[in-house]
Amino acid sequence: MTEAWGIGPAAGAGAAGSADTGTHDGTGGGAAAGATAVYLYGVARDLDPAALTGLAGVSGAPVRALHAGGLTALVSTVALAEYGEQALRANLEDLDWLEATARAHHDVVGHAARAAATAPVRIATLYRDDDRVAALLAARHDDFSAMLDTIAGRSEWGVKVYAYPEALKPDPEPPAAPADAGGAAGTGGGVGTAYLRRRQQQRRSREDATRRVAAQAQAIHNELAPLAVAARQHPPQDPRLSGHPGVPILNVAYLLEDDQAAGFTGLATAIGDRTPGLGVEVTGPWPPYSFIDTADPGGSGGGGGGGGDRA
Amino acid sequence: MSVAWDHGGWDARPGPPTERVALVDLLDRLLAGGVVITGDLVISIAEIDLVHVSLRALVTAVRDAVAEQEPATAGLVGEEDLS
């Protein structure tokens, strides 16, 4: 099965790039010293190998290309001391490690995606050796080909919409009575009733504002969606993670034909400009992370499952 | 109103320095996107679900930590959480 494979430089033999590895040689930890695994970033089609020249992946490891049948698997050799089960479990809880790994993964996928249609593989997918990756490409050749057909010539763009406080402000309400003004009412019951009524009114106003803003978000999506091949909703981002002062009301990824991108971003900009109280952020182009149909039903529920009710 | 441009990182066009991709945007995609393949069983964490759960646990932990400081304002569209 593997005779058709043109395997890249042997694992660990990427002499030029290994100087970048730096931190992990010799720090065996629990795993056998020198034991390695193969990290898979993604699968590309008709990829010019030059696109990967000098590219460093996770842990600074050089990126190699495994070719077969027009498909190219992008891989790096990594140390089990860092990517073995125990180490990985701990490392995934380390935000700095996670960020570095995510960025490296993204960098590799992005380089490939810029040069050729590339299907990203989920982060931290590991194989025993190159032959196992080769077997995967052979076994899933048709699946990968179908995926690549879907994303070729297309890119992902992200649109996030935030509501600023003025957009969420409830309708003007009667000024709250000062605390001691309750004395004028004469009875404690009257004060309590008024208080409850005011609270109820505030809650209703908030709900109204929420509904209004949600409707605006839906309208924005409805306006953008026709320009896209597909859309997928991501969960709203926690403001403390995103660092954005507004309340997130929309976080959608759109798959666009490359020649639609300019029109799409122009429209998003125009929507932001004409909608007071809302902020529109566009990111992209991204490799089509959000538009890979995952084969694992258990793995598909985390992100955009809510998209169906809005598309 | 405002439109922020933040290149997805692979459009390394020359010119003005592109803002670094926000980690939160990246994790949106890397946690929920990409081909899910079960890696070799020799590394059992390569069972993607486990990795997936682990990553989400981390993000959830961050969210919980910040939620203690200030009640998070729930998203208005798509109530689904990362959990």
Side-chain angles (χ1 to χ4, degrees):
Chain A
M1 176 155 53
T2 56
E3 66 273 11
W5 291 81
I7 303 293
S18 62
D20 298 332
T21 307
T23 52
H24 302 294
D25 42 332
T27 59
T36 60
V38 175
Y39 184 109
L40 176 62
Y41 302 92
V43 176
R45 183 166 60 196
D46 301 330
L47 179 68
D48 178 356
L52 305 179
T53 302
L55 189 58
V58 292
S59 302
V63 178
R64 298 181 291 114
L66 310 181
H67 305 286
L71 297 182
T72 301
L74 311 165
V75 302
S76 284
T77 299
V78 295
L80 276 181
E82 187 174 2
Y83 287 87
E85 177 172 356
Q86 291 300 327
L88 196 50
R89 199 187 294 275
N91 285 335
L92 287 169
E93 303 301 325
D94 175 348
L95 189 56
D96 290 338
W97 187 93
L98 175 62
E99 175 166 6
T101 303
R103 290 193 184 285
H105 183 101
H106 174 59
D107 195 38
V108 172
V109 170
H111 268 84
R114 198 158 31 132
T118 301
V121 167
R122 185 148 305 173
I123 191 172
T125 300
L126 294 156
Y127 289 86
R128 196 182 305 137
D129 54 32
D130 287 357
D131 284 346
R132 297 283 298 166
V133 179
L136 167 79
L137 279 200
R140 300 280 300 269
H141 181 276
D142 292 349
D143 292 340
F144 281 118
S145 294
M147 275 179 222
L148 291 164
D149 287 342
T150 302
I151 61 179
R154 297 168 171 172
S155 296
E156 173 176 336
W157 292 77
V159 175
K160 294 184 290 181
V161 180
Y162 298 92
Y164 292 115
E166 70 246 41
L168 288 167
K169 202 174 291 175
D171 297 329
E173 54 183 293
D180 60 351
T187 70
V191 172
T193 305
Y195 171 78
L196 289 176
R197 198 182 304 123
R198 197 165 64 240
R199 288 297 299 263
Q200 200 175 28
Q201 218 166 35
Q202 286 172 341
R203 195 172 59 240
R204 267 197 213 113
S205 304
R206 269 200 307 273
E207 286 167 1
D208 287 347
T210 298
R211 261 195 298 276
R212 191 172 62 233
V213 166
Q216 283 179 296
Q218 180 72 58
I220 290 171
H221 170 70
N222 290 347
E223 193 169 347
L224 292 172
L227 295 184
V229 176
R232 181 171 182 200
Q233 187 184 11
H234 289 296
Q237 294 173 346
D238 187 294
R240 292 306 184 92
L241 287 181
S242 67
H244 196 285
V247 174
I249 61 170
L250 193 69
N251 184 15
V252 180
Y254 296 91
L255 184 65
L256 302 180
E257 300 284 0
D258 286 339
D259 61 8
Q260 292 284 316
F264 179 89
T265 56
L267 178 57
T269 303
I271 291 172
D273 287 344
R274 70 163 198 240
T275 314
L278 298 188
V280 176
E281 279 189 14
V282 181
T283 61
W286 293 88
Y289 292 113
S290 305
F291 298 96
I292 300 295
D293 286 329
T294 61
D296 173 7
S300 63
D309 57 356
R310 343 192 35 263
Chain B
M1 189 186 299
S2 64
V3 175
W5 284 92
D6 180 3
H7 298 298
W10 61 296
D11 185 22
R13 60 185 74 171
T18 57
E19 197 179 333
R20 205 173 192 210
V21 176
L23 180 61
V24 67
D25 288 334
L26 194 50
L27 291 182
D28 270 353
R29 289 163 172 81
L30 293 185
L31 295 182
V35 185
V36 174
I37 313 167
T38 300
D40 282 341
L41 295 181
V42 68
I43 304 166
S44 57
I45 198 165
E47 279 288 340
I48 295 301
D49 280 351
L50 187 50
V51 172
H52 200 187
V53 165
S54 191
L55 290 171
R56 285 187 298 178
L58 179 126
V59 173
T60 304
V62 174
R63 296 165 66 99
D64 289 348
V66 301
E68 282 174 15
Q69 299 167 26
E70 180 179 310
T73 310
L76 302 174
V77 174
E79 297 298 334
E80 186 173 85
D81 206 339
L82 281 171
S83 58

